Amino acid sequence: MSHARSSFSLRRQLSRGRQVAGMTTTMVGGIRAAKRIGAFKQPPRETLPRYIQMFCRKMAGSFGVKVVEVEPVEQHHGLWVSNHVSWMDIPVVGTVSPAFFLSKAEIGEWPVFGKLAQAAGTLFIERGSGDASSVSAQIADFLAKGFSIIFFPEATTTSGQKVKRIHGTLLQAAIDADVPIRPIVIAYVNKDGTLSDALPYYGKMTMKDSMKKVLDSKNVTAYVLPLAPIDPEGRNKSELTNLLQARMQEGLTELHSRVLSVPAGN
């Protein structure tokens, strides 16, 4: 028994090592690509999305997660939103959408990750302007320039079984910039068609524990379903929030019905 346990532990360590090596290779490749296109000096936002999508797909793949579009995700301008299950959502939504990410300004100062985020054209919210109206105004200005942005309106991660109450404050940006809201929903599914419990990162779980669970998971597919866009014209922020809440919950239920062999929560 001890020998079997030791053998299993060794295989698990080797598997984790291969995945970390794959992630490191992807990071190095991303840095090289960013240098080649001059993204560290001035991110070329018009052409960046395809580089970001390639990088994100490889990053998800380095963790053994395959990204599948259940329906083609149209690459149109807008304010993109997604349900939030895991830190893995970043490479997943980055794979399928042409949108740039939203981040706190201090993350831009981080070594390596911060530099890559800058090169990826991330919209950094200015320090000292954390009030929602100021953040919304910064997003609206970004959208008005023709660049898409994506954020997670639940403002926290979940088990992936349902959509929590969304916070619609930042939807004001879509009204001000007069661009559609483009929701997508994500489900992480095991090979046997059950909802993954290894990918969700929520509750009291630590990042270290989550990373181990993801590294030890096998054959997980991130299914993405694009939902009908929402036109903000003639609607106020509250109406948009309620409509988006209903659309995302219905969309997640629809996605689960199409990709799960066992209903979520069973």
Side-chain angles (χ1 to χ4, degrees):
M1 182 67 73
S2 177
H3 175 74
R5 196 160 50 233
S6 176
S7 178
F8 172 75
S9 178
L10 178 59
R11 288 199 303 272
R12 186 166 61 181
Q13 292 299 327
L14 288 172
S15 176
R16 288 177 181 174
R18 283 194 295 270
Q19 291 180 74
V20 171
M23 180 182 67
T24 302
T25 299
T26 300
M27 296 278 289
V28 171
I31 291 170
R32 286 175 177 166
K35 285 182 178 179
R36 188 171 65 250
I37 63 175
F40 286 120
K41 295 178 181 178
Q42 182 63 46
R45 292 191 188 277
E46 288 78 7
T47 58
L48 261 179
R50 67 186 181 93
Y51 288 98
I52 296 171
Q53 289 175 326
M54 189 183 308
F55 174 83
C56 285
R57 186 175 292 277
K58 288 181 178 179
M59 184 60 72
S62 71
F63 286 99
V65 175
K66 181 181 179 182
V67 182
V68 173
E69 298 177 21
V70 176
E71 299 284 350
V73 180
E74 296 182 346
Q75 304 293 288
H76 296 318
H77 179 47
L79 179 62
W80 290 70
V81 297
S82 170
N83 62 318
H84 202 10
V85 183
S86 167
W87 47 268
M88 185 63 70
D89 298 346
I90 300 294
V92 171
V93 299
T95 295
V96 301
S97 83
F100 293 97
F101 294 107
L102 182 69
S103 175
K104 296 176 182 178
E106 53 265 31
I107 290 177
E109 305 301 318
W110 289 8
V112 186
F113 284 102
K115 293 298 182 185
L116 272 174
Q118 289 178 27
T122 299
L123 174 60
F124 292 103
I125 299 303
E126 295 302 321
R127 188 183 297 276
S129 59
D131 60 291
S133 59
S134 174
V135 173
S136 180
Q138 291 178 61
I139 295 174
D141 181 62
F142 191 81
L143 291 167
K145 292 175 180 176
F147 305 119
S148 298
I149 200 82
I150 188 161
F151 77 103
F152 303 100
E154 290 167 290
T156 186
T157 49
T158 72
S159 66
Q161 295 183 17
K162 63 179 182 178
V163 177
K164 281 193 172 183
R165 185 176 71 86
I166 67 171
H167 300 268
T169 305
L170 299 185
L171 300 181
Q172 183 64 42
I175 298 173
D176 295 342
D178 192 26
V179 300
I181 298 165
R182 299 191 176 278
I184 60 175
V185 284
I186 302 169
Y188 294 98
V189 182
N190 297 315
K191 190 177 182 179
D192 64 359
T194 57
L195 204 61
S196 171
D197 62 1
L199 269 292
Y201 172 51
Y202 69 107
K204 296 182 179 180
M205 186 184 298
T206 66
M207 184 63 184
K208 182 179 178 180
D209 289 340
S210 175
M211 183 70 76
K212 285 181 179 178
K213 289 185 73 172
V214 172
L215 289 173
D216 293 340
S217 65
K218 301 292 182 186
N219 300 312
V220 174
T221 299
Y223 287 102
V224 181
L225 178 66
L227 309 178
I230 299 172
D231 186 347
E233 186 174 358
R235 295 186 172 105
N236 60 34
K237 187 171 59 180
S238 177
E239 291 169 332
L240 286 176
T241 300
N242 292 335
L243 180 55
L244 180 60
Q245 178 83 57
R247 185 155 301 178
M248 290 184 71
Q249 184 55 64
E250 289 168 5
L252 187 62
T253 300
E254 166 70 12
L255 176 58
H256 286 169
S257 74
R258 293 174 68 170
V259 301
L260 297 181
S261 61
V262 179
N266 286 20

